[in-house]
Amino acid sequence: MTGTMGWRIFWLVLGALAIVAPWIITSGFWINFLILTLFLAFLGQGWNIMGGYGGQFSFGHAVFFGTGAYIQAILQSKFGWNPWLTLWFAMAGGVLVAAFIGYLSFRYGLRGSYFALITLAFAEAFRVLATAAEGVTEGGKGILIALNQDPERSFAMMQFATGTGYYYFILILTVLSLVVVWAMERSRFGAQLVAVRENEDAAEAIGVNAFRVKMGAICLSGAMTALGGVFYVQKFLLMDPNIAYGPTKSVEALVVPIIGGMGTVFGPLLGSAFLHTMGEITKEATQFFWQDRPGLDLIFYGVILVLVLAFLPNGLVGLIKGQWRGRRQGRAAERKKAVA
Amino acid sequence: MYDFSIILASVINGTMTGAVYALVALGLTLIYGVLHIINFAHGSMLMVAMYAAFFLFAAGGIDPYVALPLVAALAFAFGYALQRSVISKTSHGRDEIILLVTLGISIVIENAALFFFTSNERLVTLPYDIEGIDLGVTFLVVPQLAAFGASLVITFLLWLFMARTDTGKAIRAVAKERLGARLVGINVDHIFAISFGIGTACVGAAACLLVPTFPVTPQIGYVFVLIAFTVVVLGGMGSFVGALIGGLIIGIAESVGGLFFGETLGKISISLIFILVLLFRPTGLFGQRLR
Amino acid sequence: MTKKTRKSQISRRTFVAGAGTAAVATGVIGFPAVLRAAPQPVNLGIIHPVTGFLQQAGAQCRFGAMLAVADINADGGIRSLDGAKVRAQLGDAQSKAEIGVAEVEKLNERGVSAIVGCFASGISIATTQAAAKHGIPHVVDVGVSDKIVQRGLKNTFRFGPGFGKIVKVGTERLIEINEKAGKPTKSLLIVHENSTPFGSGMAKLLTKGLGDAGFDVMDALAHPTPNRDFNNIVLKIKAANPDLVVPSMYYNEYVLFARTLERQKVKPKAIYSVLGGAASQYKFLKEFPTAAQYIMDCNHWYNPKNSDAFRVRAATEKAGKFYSYEVFTAYHAVKLVADAIERAKSRDRAAIIDALASSTWAGHFMPYGPTKFVNGQNQGAQPLNTQILGDEIEVIAPEEYATAKAVFPRPA
């Protein structure tokens, strides 16, 4: 009871801090740091729905990210649509691609590494298509969104003049994603999804339609990840085949929840915060000693990644929960002793 | 429509490139087939081996074809140690963790290469590297022929090793039934490390055959990794013959696809084959479902 | 390895010490007030993609930029600020636009007066926007995409020529070279990469420009970056048998392509590149002297009649680097900023932007004349045409910079 209470207070304080952060933090660098942390947490949450809760490991989440991003970019730059409108098409595009890939993979019963590889293959196929279809995507040249320089229209054009605007934008998205996953975890659908993850045949035996559940998960995941693409386009105002469908985003989306804790609501957020902080620390620390030695910081980063995996196989959430459980058990034991 | 001679030349060149793909995939298929892991570090190990071949050539004047056994042996030791001391210790036997551990290792290896060797591309130029045979429709040079020949020989040797030696049989036993193998007294950890070592040794051999054609940079591994996965899946996980045939098919498909659809769109033939095989024949051409 | 690290550190330290001595020496002669406390250095942000897939080019750029910083400081720093030294604040964009932006934010906190970078167009587009929010002047060193200077950003300047200009000039000069030689080439075939902004816009512009001039453009063959095999493309060239081949791609692919031509014994009358990745690279010439012979390029190039260019080249080669266009473009981007700070007599960002916008800098060794910026683009910027002849890369056009006559077509 006290534990739950403690967590509630913790999250309330953290939430309050997140809301007032731009007033406390005047540093543009740190605001940008928070934006990227939240952005990655958001992408990771998209992956988490399918990988963490559903046990369907995707290596090609970029396929959803890139599709959302491209739709957002193309409808805006070629047709002049408003970004608040294109956003819905981008998400719909993410769902469509997800449904397509999901239908094929799940219909043919692909699991485990086979599913991982087919998502990888789809991401690569889309990358090639985006490069080749110059008429639609501008190919390797990439699409540039016109920079809005009228501060009055910054909200209407979804381009914010300061980091604060983007910060709140991504904060809202991330909080929404947390709420969605939190609600999903407690829903019938969530329970079914976890059942499928744990043992698909057993789940089928108790009447869960595994195919439908997995389709639901991949579509939700696709929509969310596509929204991540929307944010990227609005923040950086450019898109090309490598950003959209290259392996970077796929890897980032899966590293964050695995490090943070798969199949948990706050895992992606924790993972993203941890990895970003580590990245920054290794960068600063190595730069302090050797200014011009590219690669050194990433060596340390990789080593830390392996060490975290070695010692925290259940992610950071596992660490926190484990400690908490340990403490609670300790307290219970004490109470028992006191009673005796 | 193209002239028949161009199509023929494209098929021949595709076969040659395919042999290179097969070489890179041989190691991966063993690791994949036995350990069931998707080894993200495969490309970076290829890259390190290519640096080894380069430095042996540049500093020691050793022809990469001569250095091949040495590089393969070094790679074996490296792979064995890596699996025994890092991957098995950190992975907790969970697929997703192994995946990230190999990812972490590849980040370390790549950036260590960048740190120590810098981003300059290094190239091995053999005095005889534009000599070769003229087939009329196309010209085949020594590095192409060597890679092709070596891929056949290495596949044969691996097949022989797996079929005839005790270690080979133990590897197959572990690949099929981990628990059973342990019960009959096979040291599974040792066999895992041996498999990883042999897989890495294949990469070492491939590296020596690649350096005369491809400049070495810390990024070179990426060029081959996705292809190698495709070849492995197409051929069937754990099958050497499958990797060889799969490599040749992919090489030809890419080459002919490039001829007709342009080099960019032609690359999609690789992904399409990958997707279709996964959907309709996930065991690949020569594989048996291992799990 | 530790040894090597230490060595390079020492060498850098001695270099800086040497520079310091020079500065002190001039100080002693110039002013008696050397004992006065040294002024605060001017912070200059230098961002390049030194890790990730652009790392080779990024490292060359960073080297050039650091060379310029060393030169400026050895030369007495910023004179109008009491000889304040320039202090480089390095950033690594990791070949990603979003990391580039994060680096801009960090450099902003560190109080940089200006930023130089970021080689790639995609990264530069993102970093110039981020820098604009803080009013930081941003000089783009390479980034040839014309969109960089077409967005109305007041803080963004590009010293070198953009894509449109290079392709236009490249087309005109090819026509001119061909006419001068009595029109020995009539048909041509374009080979270009299409994975990045650099190669994908090229084919259309070249096809149109050269087609209008009466060339028979037989085909434009695209390939992705990276590309593993050029046999198909070379076989198509062999079958089409054009007089002229016009390749445009990154370094590694260019080398692979040129070697495949050599291996398949395909010898067009001439090879003429526009922004050819290796066509005017000393590294290519050194490693493949035969494959490189007679290849022509229209690219960023230094004024071969300026001795400074060779001083910097010697310094580059002394450091074990090749004197590639990345080195001298980044070198000049830093020098341009230093000149603007000198004119502005201030570390203030707005003052530096004004100084850049109105600058008439002529103390460089590029064939551009004094700088004149319109919307951030240096109007005099132009590429030069080079040809690999023997063991040197010679300038063959335009006339005023030429060091050799074009060998066109190449001897059979």
Side-chain angles (χ1 to χ4, degrees):
Chain A
M1 193 59 207
T2 41
T4 333
M5 201 64 175
W7 278 116
R8 274 194 196 146
I9 293 169
F10 173 76
W11 289 117
L12 272 177
V13 171
L14 195 69
L17 277 178
I19 292 169
V20 298
W23 281 293
I24 305 169
I25 303 169
T26 48
S27 151
F29 170 71
W30 285 108
I31 286 290
N32 192 61
F33 176 87
L34 289 177
I35 292 173
L36 288 182
T37 303
L38 291 173
F39 168 63
L40 217 51
F42 183 77
L43 280 189
Q45 194 68 278
W47 188 92
N48 191 32
I49 293 174
M50 208 167 94
Y53 286 95
Q56 310 298 317
F57 281 47
S58 148
F59 281 11
H61 243 57
V63 78
F64 310 131
F65 170 84
T67 302
Y70 260 122
I71 293 177
Q72 180 78 2
I74 290 167
L75 292 183
Q76 259 187 98
S77 69
K78 300 224 156 167
F79 301 99
W81 291 14
N82 183 281
W84 292 100
L85 177 67
T86 57
L87 176 158
W88 300 101
F89 288 86
M91 277 172 75
V95 172
L96 260 173
V97 171
F100 176 68
I101 295 175
Y103 182 83
L104 282 178
S105 323
F106 300 141
R107 183 70 5 180
Y108 287 95
L110 293 188
R111 297 183 191 180
S113 51
Y114 290 94
F115 178 73
L117 288 174
I118 205 166
T119 52
L120 183 72
F122 270 111
E124 179 63 13
F126 273 69
R127 195 183 65 77
V128 173
L129 276 179
T131 312
E134 287 178 13
V136 187
T137 62
E138 302 280 321
K141 228 189 318 177
I143 296 178
L144 213 62
I145 306 294
L147 182 66
N148 169 47
Q149 280 164 324
D150 175 5
E152 302 264 301
R153 290 181 50 73
S154 68
F155 183 79
M157 295 310 289
M158 216 196 271
Q159 287 184 27
F160 307 100
T162 60
T164 312
Y166 284 108
Y167 171 77
Y168 282 121
F169 186 22
I170 191 68
L171 181 68
I172 291 168
L173 291 184
T174 309
V175 169
L176 276 178
S177 76
L178 289 173
V179 171
V180 165
V181 172
W182 183 83
M184 187 192 84
E185 202 182 70
R186 274 148 191 78
S187 73
R188 197 181 151 79
F189 169 71
Q192 288 179 337
L193 189 59
V194 171
V196 168
R197 175 187 72 194
E198 295 303 326
N199 188 334
E200 195 167 327
D201 300 326
E204 293 260 359
I206 57 167
V208 175
N209 184 339
F211 177 75
R212 263 177 59 185
V213 169
K214 287 197 281 187
M215 283 301 284
I218 198 172
C219 289
L220 183 58
S221 182
M224 214 159 182
T225 313
L227 198 53
V230 169
F231 177 80
Y232 189 100
V233 167
Q234 294 307 130
K235 172 90 170 83
F236 299 102
L237 303 180
L238 78 156
M239 196 37 58
D240 69 38
N242 282 317
I243 299 174
Y245 297 117
T248 315
K249 287 284 168 291
S250 297
V251 169
E252 284 177 351
L254 72 90
V255 171
V256 157
I258 296 181
I259 287 287
M262 285 190 302
T264 62
V265 178
F266 292 101
L269 186 59
L270 274 173
S272 176
F274 176 78
L275 285 173
H276 254 101
T277 313
M278 282 326 300
E280 222 29 72
I281 289 174
T282 52
K283 212 172 189 175
E284 287 301 307
T286 51
Q287 232 183 31
F288 183 78
F289 293 105
W290 303 272
Q291 222 205 349
D292 184 13
R293 293 315 297 259
L296 191 59
D297 55 327
L298 295 170
I299 298 177
F300 289 122
Y301 180 83
V303 169
I304 290 169
L305 180 64
V306 173
L307 287 178
V308 170
L309 292 162
F311 293 108
L312 298 175
N314 294 320
L316 299 164
V317 169
L319 173 77
I320 294 165
K321 273 197 178 150
Q323 265 192 358
W324 174 58
R325 203 170 294 143
R327 214 186 307 145
R328 192 171 57 168
Q329 277 160 3
R331 247 185 245 139
E334 270 169 37
R335 229 173 283 142
K336 257 184 209 157
K337 239 184 252 164
V339 173
Chain B
M1 200 54 208
Y2 290 100
D3 202 50
F4 177 71
S5 67
I6 286 203
I7 299 173
L8 184 65
S10 180
V11 169
I12 295 171
N13 281 309
T15 313
M16 295 292 140
T17 320
V20 170
Y21 296 164
L23 276 170
V24 182
L26 280 173
L28 195 63
T29 201
L30 182 66
I31 294 172
Y32 202 2
V34 178
L35 287 84
H36 305 315
I37 62 174
I38 295 183
N39 180 16
F40 254 133
H42 198 71
S44 24
M45 295 197 294
L46 176 71
M47 177 267 294
V48 170
M50 285 175 83
Y51 270 108
F54 168 79
F55 282 115
L56 285 172
F57 176 80
I62 307 173
D63 191 302
Y65 299 128
V66 178
L68 193 145
L70 178 62
V71 175
L74 288 174
F76 175 84
F78 181 68
Y80 186 94
L82 195 66
Q83 162 66 20
R84 203 82 208 243
S85 61
V86 182
I87 299 179
S88 71
K89 291 274 159 60
T90 52
S91 63
H92 306 270
R94 279 163 50 185
D95 285 354
E96 76 275 13
I97 308 247
I98 298 180
L99 175 88
L100 282 204
V101 167
T102 57
L103 176 71
I105 290 170
S106 78
I107 294 176
V108 172
I109 295 178
E110 254 159 49
N111 288 288
L114 175 62
F115 182 75
F116 291 118
F117 308 144
T118 76
S119 54
N120 292 343
E121 64 281 271
R122 322 281 180 134
L123 198 81
V124 171
T125 35
L126 301 171
Y128 49 84
D129 72 353
I130 60 166
E131 284 168 32
I133 49 170
D134 196 347
L135 296 179
V137 291
T138 185
F139 195 84
L140 296 180
V141 288
V142 172
Q144 284 177 301
L145 295 166
F148 183 72
S151 69
L152 297 181
V153 172
I154 292 172
T155 310
F156 177 70
L157 288 177
L158 281 171
W159 175 82
L160 209 63
F161 171 79
M162 294 293 271
R164 296 295 160 85
T165 65
D166 287 343
T167 315
K169 284 174 189 163
I171 290 176
R172 282 190 294 150
V174 171
K176 267 211 179 94
E177 189 49 69
R178 252 175 234 198
L179 201 63
R182 206 185 288 274
L183 287 176
V184 297
I186 293 174
N187 181 348
V188 173
D189 290 338
H190 176 66
I191 291 297
F192 273 1
I194 289 272
S195 310
F196 207 92
I198 296 175
T200 315
C202 291
V203 157
C208 294
L209 296 158
L210 287 178
V211 281
T213 309
F214 297 94
V216 193
T217 68
Q219 303 276 307
I220 186 74
Y222 288 111
V223 176
F224 295 98
V225 165
L226 187 72
I227 298 270
F229 275 116
T230 313
V231 170
V232 166
V233 169
L234 176 62
M237 296 189 196
S239 164
F240 298 123
V241 180
L244 179 65
I245 307 279
L248 298 181
I249 292 177
I250 294 285
I252 294 168
E254 182 189 30
S255 183
V256 176
L259 189 67
F260 285 100
F261 305 114
E263 294 297 315
T264 305
L265 197 56
K267 294 269 183 293
I268 210 166
S269 59
I270 297 171
S271 314
L272 286 183
I273 291 176
F274 200 8
I275 291 168
L276 293 176
V277 171
L278 279 168
L279 289 178
F280 299 109
R281 200 180 159 81
T283 52
L285 298 173
F286 295 88
Q288 34 200 320
R289 201 143 193 159
L290 286 163
R291 34 174 47 228
Chain C
M1 201 51 232
T2 29
K3 224 181 229 167
K4 197 174 167 196
T5 318
R6 203 170 298 147
K7 209 170 100 194
S8 75
Q9 270 178 339
I10 288 171
S11 70
R12 192 185 307 145
R13 204 173 299 147
T14 31
F15 190 6
V16 174
T21 326
V24 169
T26 43
V28 171
I29 300 159
F31 323 89
V34 254
L35 292 177
R36 193 167 51 175
Q40 280 286 311
V42 179
N43 283 315
L44 177 65
I46 297 172
I47 306 177
H48 289 110
V50 291
T51 57
F53 73 103
L54 295 168
Q55 55 185 238
Q56 283 156 267
Q60 287 291 96
C61 282
R62 180 182 274 188
F63 173 81
M66 293 304 282
L67 202 60
V69 170
D71 275 6
I72 292 160
N73 289 340
D75 223 31
I78 307 290
R79 293 211 176 76
S80 67
L81 294 174
D82 298 335
K85 296 277 179 276
V86 171
R87 184 163 66 195
Q89 301 276 3
L90 297 180
D92 174 13
Q94 296 181 7
S95 307
K96 297 183 208 163
E98 62 263 38
I99 306 288
V101 169
E103 294 292 277
V104 170
E105 295 292 347
K106 189 190 288 175
L107 294 175
N108 175 44
E109 312 275 292
R110 293 203 186 139
V112 296
S113 294
I115 287 175
V116 166
C118 306
F119 175 71
S121 296
I123 303 174
S124 302
I125 280 169
T127 53
T128 46
Q129 264 160 217
K133 285 183 182 166
H134 301 293
I136 309 172
H138 189 313
V139 173
V140 175
D141 46 10
V142 180
V144 289
S145 166
D146 286 315
K147 288 170 178 167
I148 290 175
V149 288
Q150 286 168 354
R151 293 164 301 160
L153 294 177
K154 296 275 172 278
N155 69 322
T156 304
F157 299 89
R158 185 171 61 198
F159 180 59
F163 188 78
K165 170 91 178 184
I166 295 171
V167 177
K168 184 168 163 280
V169 169
T171 312
E172 288 166 1
R173 293 211 187 122
L174 172 59
I175 295 164
E176 195 187 312
I177 290 170
N178 191 39
E179 274 172 4
K180 264 190 193 161
K183 293 200 177 180
T185 61
K186 291 180 180 62
S187 59
L188 65 88
L189 195 146
I190 299 165
V191 182
H192 67 102
E193 76 92 39
N194 68 350
S195 297
T196 72
F198 139 76
S200 51
M202 180 88 65
K204 258 179 232 154
L205 289 171
L206 283 177
T207 308
K208 191 173 178 321
L210 293 169
D212 288 352
F215 276 100
D216 169 22
V217 182
M218 304 176 85
D219 211 344
L221 303 174
H223 68 81
T225 304
N227 196 29
R228 291 166 290 253
D229 184 38
F230 278 94
N231 276 304
N232 269 335
I233 287 181
V234 168
L235 288 169
K236 283 183 186 172
I237 294 173
K238 198 176 185 177
N241 196 21
D243 296 331
L244 187 66
V245 172
V246 182
S248 185
M249 58 207 75
Y250 285 95
Y251 184 87
N252 284 341
E253 277 72 23
Y254 201 100
V255 171
L256 205 54
F257 174 65
R259 296 189 80 199
T260 312
L261 280 179
E262 195 187 12
R263 286 172 169 185
Q264 295 288 1
K265 314 218 181 305
V266 176
K267 275 198 166 171
K269 283 184 187 162
I271 298 176
Y272 182 94
S273 281
V274 176
L275 290 176
S280 51
Q281 295 266 14
Y282 289 106
K283 185 175 164 64
F284 178 51
L285 170 57
K286 186 177 165 232
E287 288 175 351
F288 303 102
T290 51
Q293 280 313 305
Y294 303 115
I295 288 182
M296 293 181 283
D297 195 15
C298 179
N299 210 327
H300 306 282
W301 201 252
Y302 57 84
N303 175 359
K305 310 222 159 140
N306 187 320
S307 62
D308 258 4
F310 294 93
R311 181 182 54 77
V312 175
R313 178 173 165 183
T316 307
E317 283 164 1
K318 204 177 153 205
K321 298 263 184 186
F322 286 98
Y323 196 40
S324 64
Y325 73 93
E326 296 100 331
V327 172
F328 48 79
T329 47
Y331 180 89
H332 279 110
V334 170
K335 283 272 209 153
L336 171 67
V337 174
D339 174 78
I341 298 172
E342 193 77 69
R343 287 164 199 266
K345 301 182 179 60
S346 162
R347 293 175 175 78
D348 179 58
R349 292 167 177 175
I352 298 171
I353 290 179
D354 288 343
L356 276 168
S358 61
S359 96
T360 51
W361 180 45
H364 55 79
F365 57 81
M366 297 303 279
Y368 301 165
T371 53
K372 177 173 181 282
F373 286 101
V374 175
N375 293 329
Q377 174 58 43
N378 182 17
Q379 298 301 301
Q382 63 160 336
L384 291 186
N385 279 50
T386 59
Q387 184 170 29
I388 297 179
L389 294 169
D391 54 6
E392 188 46 80
I393 301 176
E394 304 283 359
V395 174
I396 52 166
E399 206 66 58
E400 50 184 315
Y401 297 105
T403 53
K405 276 190 99 70
V407 178
F408 187 90
R410 71 166 151 198

